[in-house]
Structure formats: structure tokens, C-alpha cells
Coordinates of all heavy atoms in Angstrom, one line a residue:
M186 N -3.6 239.5 67.5 CA -2.4 240.1 68.0 C -1.6 240.5 66.8 O -1.4 239.8 65.8 CB -1.7 239.1 68.9 CG -0.7 239.8 69.8 SD 0.0 238.7 71.0 CE -1.3 237.7 71.6
T187 N -0.9 241.7 66.9 CA -0.1 242.2 65.9 C 1.4 241.8 66.1 O 1.8 241.9 67.3 CB -0.2 243.8 65.8 OG1 -1.6 244.1 65.6 CG2 0.7 244.3 64.7
R188 N 2.1 241.5 65.1 CA 3.5 241.1 65.2 C 4.3 241.9 64.2 O 4.0 241.9 63.1 CB 3.7 239.6 65.0 CG 5.2 239.2 65.1 CD 5.3 237.6 65.0 NE 5.3 237.1 66.3 CZ 4.2 236.4 66.8 NH1 3.2 236.1 66.1 NH2 4.3 235.9 68.0
V189 N 5.3 242.7 64.7 CA 6.1 243.5 63.8 C 7.6 243.4 64.2 O 8.0 243.0 65.3 CB 5.7 245.0 64.0 CG1 4.3 245.2 63.6 CG2 6.0 245.5 65.4
T190 N 8.5 243.7 63.2 CA 9.9 243.7 63.5 C 10.2 245.0 64.3 O 9.5 246.0 64.3 CB 10.7 243.7 62.2 OG1 10.5 244.9 61.5 CG2 10.4 242.5 61.3
A191 N 11.4 245.0 64.9 CA 11.8 246.2 65.7 C 12.0 247.4 64.8 O 11.6 248.5 65.1 CB 13.1 245.9 66.4
T192 N 12.4 247.1 63.5 CA 12.6 248.2 62.6 C 11.2 248.8 62.2 O 11.1 250.0 62.2 CB 13.3 247.7 61.3 OG1 14.6 247.2 61.7 CG2 13.5 248.9 60.3
E193 N 10.3 247.9 61.9 CA 8.9 248.4 61.6 C 8.3 249.2 62.7 O 7.7 250.3 62.5 CB 8.0 247.2 61.3 CG 8.2 246.5 60.0 CD 7.4 245.3 59.9 OE1 7.4 244.4 60.8 OE2 6.7 245.1 58.8
F194 N 8.6 248.7 64.0 CA 8.1 249.4 65.1 C 8.7 250.8 65.2 O 8.0 251.8 65.4 CB 8.3 248.6 66.4 CG 7.9 249.3 67.6 CD1 6.5 249.4 67.9 CD2 8.8 249.9 68.5 CE1 6.1 250.1 69.1 CE2 8.4 250.5 69.6 CZ 7.0 250.6 69.9
K195 N 10.0 250.8 65.1 CA 10.7 252.1 65.2 C 10.2 253.1 64.2 O 10.1 254.3 64.5 CB 12.2 251.9 65.0 CG 13.1 253.1 65.1 CD 14.5 252.8 64.8 CE 14.6 252.5 63.3 NZ 15.8 252.9 62.6
N196 N 10.0 252.6 63.0 CA 9.6 253.5 61.9 C 8.1 253.9 62.0 O 7.7 254.9 61.3 CB 9.8 252.9 60.5 CG 11.3 252.7 60.2 OD1 12.1 253.5 60.8 ND2 11.7 251.8 59.4
N197 N 7.3 253.2 62.7 CA 5.9 253.5 62.8 C 5.4 253.4 64.3 O 4.3 252.9 64.6 CB 5.1 252.5 62.0 CG 5.4 252.6 60.5 OD1 5.1 253.6 59.9 ND2 6.1 251.6 60.0
I198 N 6.2 254.0 65.2 CA 5.9 253.9 66.6 C 4.5 254.4 67.0 O 3.8 253.8 67.8 CB 7.0 254.5 67.5 CG1 6.8 254.1 68.9 CG2 7.0 256.0 67.3 CD1 7.9 254.5 69.8
G199 N 4.1 255.5 66.3 CA 2.7 256.0 66.6 C 1.6 255.1 66.3 O 0.7 254.8 67.1
A200 N 1.7 254.5 65.1 CA 0.6 253.6 64.7 C 0.6 252.3 65.6 O -0.5 251.9 65.9 CB 0.9 253.2 63.2
F201 N 1.8 251.8 65.9 CA 1.8 250.6 66.7 C 1.4 250.9 68.2 O 0.8 250.0 68.9 CB 3.1 249.8 66.6 CG 3.3 249.3 65.2 CD1 4.4 249.7 64.5 CD2 2.4 248.3 64.7 CE1 4.5 249.2 63.2 CE2 2.6 247.8 63.4 CZ 3.6 248.2 62.7
S202 N 1.7 252.1 68.6 CA 1.3 252.5 70.0 C -0.2 252.6 70.0 O -0.9 252.1 71.0 CB 1.9 253.8 70.4 OG 3.3 253.7 70.5
D203 N -0.8 253.1 69.0 CA -2.3 253.2 68.9 C -2.9 251.7 68.8 O -3.9 251.5 69.5 CB -2.7 253.9 67.7 CG -2.5 255.4 67.8 OD1 -2.2 255.9 68.9 OD2 -2.5 256.1 66.7
A204 N -2.3 250.9 68.1 CA -2.7 249.5 68.0 C -2.7 248.8 69.3 O -3.6 248.0 69.7 CB -1.9 248.7 66.9
A205 N -1.7 249.1 70.1 CA -1.5 248.4 71.4 C -2.6 248.8 72.4 O -2.8 248.2 73.4 CB -0.1 248.8 72.0
M206 N -3.3 249.9 72.1 CA -4.4 250.3 73.0 C -5.6 249.2 72.9 O -6.4 249.1 73.9 CB -5.0 251.6 72.6 CG -3.9 252.7 72.8 SD -3.3 252.8 74.5 CE -4.7 253.4 75.3
S207 N -5.7 248.5 71.8 CA -6.7 247.5 71.7 C -6.3 246.0 71.7 O -7.1 245.1 72.0 CB -7.6 247.8 70.5 OG -6.7 247.7 69.3
E208 N -5.0 245.8 71.4 CA -4.4 244.5 71.5 C -2.9 244.5 71.6 O -2.3 245.5 71.2 CB -4.8 243.7 70.2 CG -4.1 244.3 68.9 CD -4.4 243.5 67.7 OE1 -5.1 242.4 67.8 OE2 -3.9 243.9 66.6
P209 N -2.3 243.5 72.2 CA -0.9 243.5 72.4 C -0.2 243.5 71.0 O -0.7 242.9 70.0 CB -0.6 242.2 73.1 CG -1.9 241.8 73.8 CD -3.0 242.3 72.9
V210 N 1.0 244.2 71.0 CA 1.8 244.2 69.8 C 3.1 243.5 70.1 O 3.8 243.9 71.0 CB 2.1 245.7 69.3 CG1 3.1 245.7 68.2 CG2 0.8 246.4 69.0
I211 N 3.4 242.4 69.4 CA 4.7 241.7 69.7 C 5.7 242.3 68.8 O 5.5 242.4 67.5 CB 4.5 240.2 69.4 CG1 3.5 239.6 70.3 CG2 5.8 239.5 69.5 CD1 3.1 238.2 70.0
I212 N 6.9 242.7 69.3 CA 8.0 243.2 68.6 C 9.1 242.2 68.5 O 9.5 241.6 69.5 CB 8.5 244.5 69.3 CG1 7.3 245.5 69.4 CG2 9.7 245.1 68.5 CD1 7.6 246.6 70.4
T213 N 9.5 241.9 67.3 CA 10.4 240.8 67.0 C 11.8 241.4 66.7 O 11.9 242.5 66.2 CB 10.0 239.9 65.9 OG1 9.9 240.6 64.7 CG2 8.6 239.3 66.2
S214 N 12.8 240.6 66.9 CA 14.2 240.9 66.5 C 14.8 239.6 66.1 O 14.8 238.6 66.8 CB 14.9 241.5 67.7 OG 16.3 241.8 67.3
H215 N 15.4 239.6 64.9 CA 16.0 238.4 64.3 C 15.0 237.2 64.3 O 15.4 236.1 64.7 CB 17.3 238.1 65.0 CG 18.3 239.2 65.0 ND1 19.0 239.5 63.9 CD2 18.6 240.1 66.0 CE1 19.8 240.6 64.2 NE2 19.6 240.9 65.4
Q216 N 13.8 237.5 64.0 CA 12.7 236.5 63.8 C 12.4 235.9 65.2 O 11.8 234.8 65.2 CB 13.1 235.5 62.8 CG 13.3 236.1 61.4 CD 13.8 235.1 60.4 OE1 14.3 234.0 60.7 NE2 13.6 235.4 59.1
R217 N 12.7 236.5 66.3 CA 12.3 236.0 67.6 C 11.5 237.1 68.3 O 11.8 238.2 68.3 CB 13.5 235.7 68.4 CG 14.3 234.6 67.9 CD 15.5 234.3 68.7 NE 15.7 232.9 68.9 CZ 16.6 232.4 69.6 NH1 17.5 233.1 70.3 NH2 16.8 231.0 69.6
D218 N 10.5 236.6 69.0 CA 9.7 237.5 69.9 C 10.6 238.1 71.0 O 11.3 237.3 71.7 CB 8.5 236.8 70.5 CG 7.5 236.3 69.5 OD1 7.6 236.7 68.3 OD2 6.6 235.5 69.9
R219 N 10.6 239.4 71.1 CA 11.5 240.1 72.0 C 10.7 240.9 73.1 O 11.0 240.8 74.2 CB 12.5 241.0 71.3 CG 13.4 240.3 70.4 CD 14.5 239.5 71.1 NE 15.3 240.5 71.8 CZ 16.2 240.2 72.7 NH1 16.5 239.0 72.9 NH2 16.9 241.2 73.3
L220 N 9.7 241.6 72.6 CA 9.0 242.5 73.5 C 7.5 242.4 73.2 O 7.1 242.1 72.1 CB 9.4 244.0 73.3 CG 10.9 244.3 73.5 CD1 11.2 245.6 73.0 CD2 11.3 244.2 75.0
V221 N 6.7 242.8 74.2 CA 5.3 243.0 73.9 C 4.8 244.4 74.4 O 5.1 244.7 75.6 CB 4.5 241.9 74.7 CG1 3.0 242.1 74.5 CG2 4.9 240.5 74.3
L222 N 4.2 245.1 73.5 CA 3.7 246.4 73.9 C 2.2 246.3 74.2 O 1.5 245.7 73.3 CB 3.9 247.4 72.7 CG 3.5 248.8 72.9 CD1 4.4 249.5 74.0 CD2 3.6 249.6 71.6
L223 N 1.8 246.8 75.3 CA 0.4 246.7 75.6 C 0.0 248.0 76.4 O 0.8 248.7 76.8 CB 0.0 245.5 76.4 CG 0.9 245.1 77.6 CD1 0.1 245.5 78.9 CD2 1.1 243.7 77.6
S224 N -1.3 248.3 76.4 CA -1.8 249.5 77.0 C -1.5 249.5 78.5 O -1.4 248.4 79.2 CB -3.3 249.6 76.8 OG -4.0 248.7 77.6
A225 N -1.4 250.7 79.1 CA -1.2 250.8 80.5 C -2.4 250.1 81.3 O -2.1 249.5 82.3 CB -1.1 252.3 80.9
D226 N -3.6 250.3 80.8 CA -4.7 249.7 81.5 C -4.6 248.1 81.5 O -4.9 247.5 82.5 CB -6.1 250.0 80.8 CG -6.5 251.5 81.1 OD1 -6.0 252.0 82.1 OD2 -7.3 252.0 80.3
E227 N -4.2 247.6 80.4 CA -4.0 246.1 80.3 C -2.9 245.7 81.3 O -3.0 244.7 82.0 CB -3.7 245.6 78.9 CG -3.6 244.2 78.8 CD -4.8 243.3 79.1 OE1 -5.9 243.9 79.4 OE2 -4.8 242.1 79.0
Y228 N -1.8 246.4 81.3 CA -0.7 246.1 82.2 C -1.2 246.1 83.7 O -0.9 245.2 84.4 CB 0.5 247.1 82.0 CG 1.6 246.9 83.0 CD1 2.5 245.9 82.9 CD2 1.6 247.8 84.1 CE1 3.5 245.7 83.8 CE2 2.6 247.6 85.1 CZ 3.6 246.6 84.9 OH 4.5 246.4 85.9
R229 N -1.9 247.2 84.0 CA -2.4 247.3 85.4 C -3.3 246.1 85.7 O -3.3 245.5 86.8 CB -3.1 248.6 85.6 CG -2.2 249.8 85.8 CD -2.9 251.0 86.3 NE -3.7 251.7 85.2 CZ -3.1 252.5 84.3 NH1 -1.9 252.9 84.5 NH2 -3.8 253.1 83.4
R230 N -4.2 245.7 84.7 CA -5.1 244.6 84.9 C -4.3 243.3 85.2 O -4.6 242.5 86.1 CB -6.0 244.4 83.7 CG -7.1 243.3 83.9 CD -7.8 243.0 82.6 NE -7.0 242.3 81.7 CZ -6.8 241.0 81.7 NH1 -7.2 240.3 82.7 NH2 -6.1 240.5 80.8
L231 N -3.3 243.1 84.4 CA -2.5 241.9 84.5 C -1.7 241.8 85.9 O -1.6 240.8 86.5 CB -1.5 241.7 83.4 CG -2.2 241.4 82.0 CD1 -1.1 241.5 80.9 CD2 -2.8 240.0 82.0
T232 N -1.1 243.0 86.2 CA -0.3 243.0 87.5 C -1.2 243.0 88.7 O -0.8 242.5 89.7 CB 0.6 244.2 87.5 OG1 -0.1 245.4 87.3 CG2 1.7 244.1 86.4
A233 N -2.4 243.4 88.6 CA -3.3 243.4 89.7 C -3.7 242.0 90.1 O -4.1 241.8 91.2 CB -4.6 244.3 89.4
L234 N -3.6 241.1 89.2 CA -4.0 239.7 89.5 C -3.2 239.1 90.6 O -3.6 238.2 91.3 CB -3.8 238.9 88.2 CG -4.7 239.2 87.0 CD1 -4.4 238.3 85.8 CD2 -6.2 239.1 87.4
T235 N -2.0 239.7 90.9 CA -1.1 239.1 91.9 C -1.3 239.8 93.3 O -0.7 239.4 94.2 CB 0.3 239.1 91.5 OG1 0.7 240.5 91.3 CG2 0.6 238.3 90.2
E236 N -2.0 240.9 93.3 CA -2.2 241.6 94.6 C -2.7 240.8 95.7 O -2.3 241.0 96.8 CB -3.0 242.9 94.3 CG -2.3 243.9 93.5 CD -3.1 245.2 93.3 OE1 -4.2 245.3 93.8 OE2 -2.6 246.1 92.6
G237 N -3.7 240.0 95.5 CA -4.3 239.2 96.6 C -3.6 237.9 96.8 O -4.1 237.1 97.6
V238 N -2.5 237.6 96.2 CA -1.8 236.3 96.4 C -0.9 236.4 97.6 O -0.1 237.3 97.8 CB -0.9 236.0 95.1 CG1 -0.1 234.7 95.3 CG2 -1.7 236.0 93.9
T239 N -1.1 235.4 98.5 CA -0.4 235.4 99.8 C 0.9 234.6 99.6 O 1.1 233.8 98.6 CB -1.2 234.7 100.9 OG1 -1.4 233.3 100.5 CG2 -2.6 235.4 101.0
A240 N 1.8 234.7 100.6 CA 3.0 233.9 100.6 C 2.7 232.4 100.6 O 3.4 231.6 99.9 CB 3.9 234.2 101.8
Q241 N 1.6 232.0 101.3 CA 1.2 230.6 101.3 C 0.8 230.1 99.9 O 1.2 229.0 99.5 CB 0.1 230.4 102.3 CG -0.4 229.0 102.4 CD -1.5 228.9 103.5 OE1 -2.0 229.8 104.0 NE2 -1.9 227.6 103.7
D242 N 0.1 231.0 99.2 CA -0.3 230.7 97.8 C 0.9 230.5 96.9 O 1.0 229.5 96.1 CB -1.2 231.8 97.2 CG -2.5 231.9 97.9 OD1 -3.1 230.9 98.4 OD2 -3.1 233.0 97.8
K243 N 1.9 231.4 97.0 CA 3.1 231.3 96.2 C 3.9 230.0 96.5 O 4.4 229.4 95.6 CB 4.0 232.5 96.5 CG 3.4 233.8 95.9 CD 4.3 235.0 96.3 CE 3.6 236.3 95.8 NZ 4.4 237.5 96.2
N244 N 3.9 229.7 97.8 CA 4.6 228.4 98.2 C 3.9 227.2 97.6 O 4.6 226.3 97.1 CB 4.7 228.3 99.7 CG 5.8 229.3 100.3 OD1 6.7 229.7 99.6 ND2 5.6 229.6 101.5
R245 N 2.6 227.2 97.6 CA 1.8 226.1 97.1 C 2.1 226.0 95.6 O 2.3 224.9 95.1 CB 0.4 226.3 97.4 CG -0.5 225.0 97.1 CD -1.9 225.1 97.5 NE -2.6 226.1 96.6 CZ -3.1 227.3 97.0 NH1 -3.0 227.7 98.2 NH2 -3.7 228.0 96.1
V246 N 2.1 227.1 94.9 CA 2.4 227.1 93.4 C 3.8 226.6 93.2 O 4.0 225.7 92.3 CB 2.1 228.4 92.8 CG1 2.6 228.5 91.4 CG2 0.6 228.8 92.9
A247 N 4.7 227.1 94.0 CA 6.1 226.6 93.8 C 6.3 225.1 94.0 O 7.0 224.5 93.2 CB 7.0 227.4 94.7
R248 N 5.6 224.6 95.0 CA 5.7 223.1 95.2 C 5.1 222.4 94.1 O 5.6 221.4 93.6 CB 5.0 222.8 96.5 CG 5.8 223.2 97.8 CD 5.2 222.5 99.0 NE 3.7 222.8 99.2 CZ 3.2 223.8 99.8 NH1 3.9 224.7 100.3 NH2 1.9 223.9 99.9
G249 N 4.0 222.9 93.5 CA 3.4 222.2 92.4 C 4.2 222.3 91.2 O 4.3 221.3 90.4
L250 N 4.9 223.4 90.9 CA 5.8 223.5 89.8 C 6.9 222.6 89.9 O 7.3 221.9 89.0 CB 6.2 225.0 89.6 CG 5.2 226.0 89.1 CD1 5.8 227.4 89.2 CD2 4.8 225.7 87.7
E251 N 7.5 222.5 91.1 CA 8.6 221.6 91.3 C 8.2 220.1 91.1 O 9.0 219.4 90.5 CB 9.2 221.8 92.7 CG 10.5 221.1 92.9 CD 11.6 221.4 91.9 OE1 11.7 222.6 91.5 OE2 12.3 220.5 91.5
R252 N 7.1 219.8 91.6 CA 6.6 218.4 91.5 C 6.4 218.0 90.0 O 6.6 216.9 89.6 CB 5.2 218.3 92.2 CG 4.7 216.9 92.3 CD 3.5 216.7 93.2 NE 2.5 217.7 93.0 CZ 2.1 218.6 93.9 NH1 2.7 218.6 95.1 NH2 1.2 219.5 93.7
H253 N 6.0 219.0 89.2 CA 5.8 218.7 87.8 C 6.9 219.3 86.9 O 6.7 219.5 85.7 CB 4.4 219.3 87.4 CG 3.3 218.7 88.1 ND1 2.9 217.4 88.0 CD2 2.5 219.2 89.1 CE1 1.9 217.1 88.8 NE2 1.6 218.2 89.5
R254 N 8.0 219.6 87.4 CA 9.1 220.2 86.7 C 9.5 219.5 85.4 O 9.6 220.1 84.4 CB 10.3 220.3 87.6 CG 11.5 221.1 87.1 CD 12.6 221.3 88.1 NE 13.4 222.4 87.8 CZ 14.5 222.2 87.0 NH1 14.7 221.1 86.4 NH2 15.3 223.3 86.8
S255 N 9.7 218.2 85.5 CA 10.1 217.4 84.3 C 9.1 217.5 83.2 O 9.4 217.6 82.0 CB 10.5 216.0 84.7 OG 9.3 215.3 85.2
T256 N 7.8 217.4 83.6 CA 6.7 217.5 82.6 C 6.7 218.9 81.9 O 6.6 219.0 80.7 CB 5.4 217.2 83.2 OG1 5.4 215.9 83.8 CG2 4.3 217.3 82.2
I257 N 6.8 219.9 82.7 CA 6.8 221.3 82.2 C 8.0 221.5 81.3 O 7.9 222.1 80.2 CB 6.9 222.3 83.4 CG1 5.6 222.2 84.2 CG2 7.1 223.7 82.9 CD1 5.6 223.0 85.5
L258 N 9.2 221.0 81.7 CA 10.4 221.2 80.8 C 10.2 220.4 79.5 O 10.6 220.9 78.4 CB 11.6 220.7 81.5 CG 12.1 221.6 82.7 CD1 13.2 221.0 83.5 CD2 12.4 223.0 82.2
E259 N 9.6 219.2 79.6 CA 9.4 218.5 78.3 C 8.4 219.2 77.4 O 8.6 219.2 76.2 CB 8.9 217.1 78.7 CG 8.7 216.2 77.5 CD 9.9 215.9 76.7 OE1 11.0 215.8 77.3 OE2 9.8 215.8 75.5
L260 N 7.4 219.7 78.0 CA 6.4 220.4 77.2 C 7.0 221.7 76.6 O 6.6 222.1 75.4 CB 5.1 220.8 78.0 CG 4.2 219.6 78.4 CD1 3.2 220.1 79.4 CD2 3.6 219.0 77.2
A261 N 7.9 222.4 77.3 CA 8.5 223.6 76.8 C 9.4 223.3 75.6 O 9.6 224.2 74.7 CB 9.3 224.2 77.9
K262 N 9.8 222.1 75.4 CA 10.7 221.8 74.3 C 9.9 221.6 73.0 O 10.4 221.7 71.9 CB 11.4 220.4 74.6 CG 12.5 220.6 75.6 CD 13.1 219.2 75.9 CE 14.0 219.2 77.1 NZ 14.6 217.9 77.4
R263 N 8.6 221.4 73.1 CA 7.8 221.1 71.9 C 7.4 222.4 71.2 O 7.4 223.4 71.6 CB 6.5 220.4 72.4 CG 6.7 219.1 72.9 CD 5.5 218.4 73.3 NE 5.8 217.1 74.0 CZ 4.9 216.3 74.4 NH1 3.7 216.6 74.3 NH2 5.3 215.2 75.0

């Protein structure tokens, strides 16, 4: 995965757009990840994963997340 500053991205948008066709490009600002540039095909693939998810599935996941909320928050701090 490629990681670039916002300034580098702005100055070389064509090159990084081309790079995003084969792998995500992380754009940083003030040394923090801010954006991810990826191909339209990859975006469609990722968003299509949720098309078959039912309301019942979403509720089940939400219950599981709530049940494990404290563990998830603790892990996120690491």
C-alpha cells in the first residue's frame, strides 16, 4: 500500500491515481491517515459486500458489537 502526504498527492495526482488502480493509496495530513484513494472497481467490490445483508443480519451484528463493546474499545486504544 502506498502512503503519501496531501501535498505529494496534489503535486502528483496523475501518478497516484494510476497507482490506486492496483493498490489503495493512503493520503496523510499532519502525519495522520486522512483519505484512501482506490479504484472504482475496488470500491464497487467493497460496497457490494453489503448488498445481501438483511436487517436481521445488521441487528445481529449490532447486538454482538454491543456485547463486546468494552473489549473493542480497549483494543482500539492499543
Side-chain angles (χ1 to χ4, degrees):
M186 198 170 322
T187 302
R188 179 175 267 107
V189 298
T190 67
T192 301
E193 289 173 307
F194 178 73
K195 179 185 72 147
N196 292 337
N197 297 293
I198 191 168
F201 293 118
S202 294
D203 290 343
M206 296 304 291
S207 59
E208 66 176 358
V210 175
I211 297 174
I212 303 166
T213 64
S214 179
H215 303 286
Q216 300 175 342
R217 295 180 138 181
D218 294 349
R219 298 285 298 173
L220 302 167
V221 177
L222 181 68
L223 48 104
S224 71
D226 286 341
E227 182 66 2
Y228 173 80
R229 281 191 285 274
R230 185 188 72 77
L231 291 170
T232 57
L234 296 176
T235 61
E236 288 179 2
V238 178
T239 66
Q241 184 179 4
D242 293 332
K243 290 177 184 178
N244 287 334
R245 189 175 72 249
V246 169
R248 286 192 309 271
L250 288 173
E251 189 56 38
R252 184 173 47 245
H253 299 291
R254 187 174 198 276
S255 62
T256 303
I257 293 168
L258 290 173
E259 183 61 34
L260 289 172
K262 291 177 188 177
R263 296 181 185 180

